[in-house]
Amino acid sequence: MKRFLALLLIAASAALPASAVLAPDAGAQSAAAQSPYGKAQRRDAVFLRFPEMARRYWENPETNTASHKVVAIPLPAQCAFVYADSYSKGHMSESEVQQLAVSSCNRKLSELGPLGENYSTDCRCQAVISNETYLVPRNVMPAESYGPVSIFYRDSTGNVARLNGVAKYGALIGHDRSVRFSVDNPRGEHVCDGTFTNAGPSAGRFSLSCFAGKFAGNGEYQSKVGAPNDHIIARGQTSQGLPVVMVIGLPAQLASGTYGAI
């Protein structure tokens, strides 16, 4: 009886068209191939925000020709201040490269420390681009640059005060002559506006106005790559001549430990 059933299965298989026999492999399309969200472009905001990653993804001969290449960032958009880009080696599948990118992104995020003093939302890493195709709707991707921000300043009594939140700014600091930025507190309330005016690829001047003009400052800024995350450090004086330091790109505890002693 078992032999009879086996013969029936073999005969049924032989009678199927080739497309049906290949269905399991044909159905196992890549996530990128199935995505309805369109192709990524070299000038998209996420690549302008992270130029080192953009060069690896689009220009570097080794990584650009990888069979699978994936970008992961934390979402929602205001959380996207770190990234991980992963590229296939050997016979790695697309899903394996995606898992590697998300794992690397989550590790980077956790190593920077808690975000609760800057964000009221939960920041979670997600694979967003795979093989030059978006895996998420474009409207959830950051259209500008974001980062946790801490502003340290001495008040009129000489005590150090600190304002934490999230900064939003243009992606091309150091390339555009002038880039405006804004700061929201962790509750999402708008508290500051300012401008970066570049004097070179990674340095220039800044001005800052907060609380409807009640607090203001200006001075010089510098963009730092790594150590331990890409960030902006701005130092200057308030309108009362007291020191002010602004750090964009590091969570509050890390920013305080690194730059808070003004």
Side-chain angles (χ1 to χ4, degrees):
M1 182 67 179
K2 289 182 180 178
R3 186 179 177 188
F4 177 70
L5 288 174
L7 289 171
L8 278 178
L9 287 172
I10 292 170
S13 232
L16 288 171
S19 60
V21 174
L22 295 174
D25 289 340
Q29 296 182 57
S30 72
Q34 296 180 45
S35 173
Y37 302 122
K39 300 292 286 183
Q41 303 294 327
R42 175 67 174 81
R43 298 286 295 176
D44 288 350
V46 67
F47 293 110
L48 297 179
R49 172 66 177 85
F50 303 115
E52 304 87 5
M53 180 260 285
R55 285 190 288 271
R56 280 191 299 272
Y57 200 89
W58 298 100
E59 300 169 17
N60 184 292
E62 266 185 56
T63 51
N64 182 247
T65 57
S67 55
H68 301 297
K69 48 186 187 176
V70 175
V71 174
I73 59 173
L75 290 176
Q78 64 266 34
C79 296
F81 69 99
V82 299
Y83 70 91
D85 52 328
S86 296
Y87 305 87
S88 58
K89 296 179 181 178
H91 298 288
M92 292 177 69
S93 68
E94 184 182 17
S95 63
E96 288 174 326
V97 181
Q98 289 177 12
Q99 291 167 17
L100 181 62
V102 172
S103 174
S104 178
C105 176
N106 279 322
R107 185 180 67 254
K108 288 182 178 181
L109 203 60
S110 65
E111 287 173 351
L112 292 173
L115 294 171
E117 293 184 65
N118 299 95
Y119 292 90
S120 59
T121 187
D122 187 16
C123 298
R124 296 195 178 188
C125 289
Q126 185 173 338
V128 294
I129 298 173
S130 185
N131 298 340
E132 300 180 20
T133 300
Y134 280 105
L135 301 179
V136 297
R138 288 175 181 268
N139 63 0
V140 308
M141 290 290 291
E144 295 185 86
S145 295
Y146 293 86
V149 61
S150 294
I151 302 172
F152 308 94
Y153 59 97
R154 290 197 180 275
D155 60 24
S156 56
T157 64
N159 294 317
V160 176
R162 183 174 71 175
L163 168 65
N164 299 322
V166 181
K168 178 175 71 174
Y169 55 99
L172 291 177
I173 289 179
H175 294 81
D176 292 347
R177 172 63 180 163
S178 179
V179 172
R180 294 192 60 78
F181 67 89
S182 62
V183 173
D184 290 351
N185 65 22
R187 296 185 299 278
E189 299 164 341
H190 180 75
V191 290
C192 302
D193 289 293
T195 303
F196 292 111
T197 304
N198 78 305
S202 59
R205 295 195 60 80
F206 81 98
S207 61
L208 173 72
S209 178
C210 303
F211 310 118
K214 295 177 182 177
F215 168 77
N218 62 80
E220 298 181 345
Y221 79 88
Q222 182 180 7
S223 295
K224 291 182 173 286
V225 177
N229 185 54
D230 293 359
H231 62 283
I232 298 166
I233 171 68
R235 300 178 186 273
Q237 292 185 325
T238 67
S239 52
Q240 288 78 35
L242 299 170
V244 58
V245 174
M246 178 173 65
V247 186
I248 300 176
L250 301 180
Q253 288 188 21
L254 182 57
S256 180
T258 308
Y259 297 108
I262 60 172

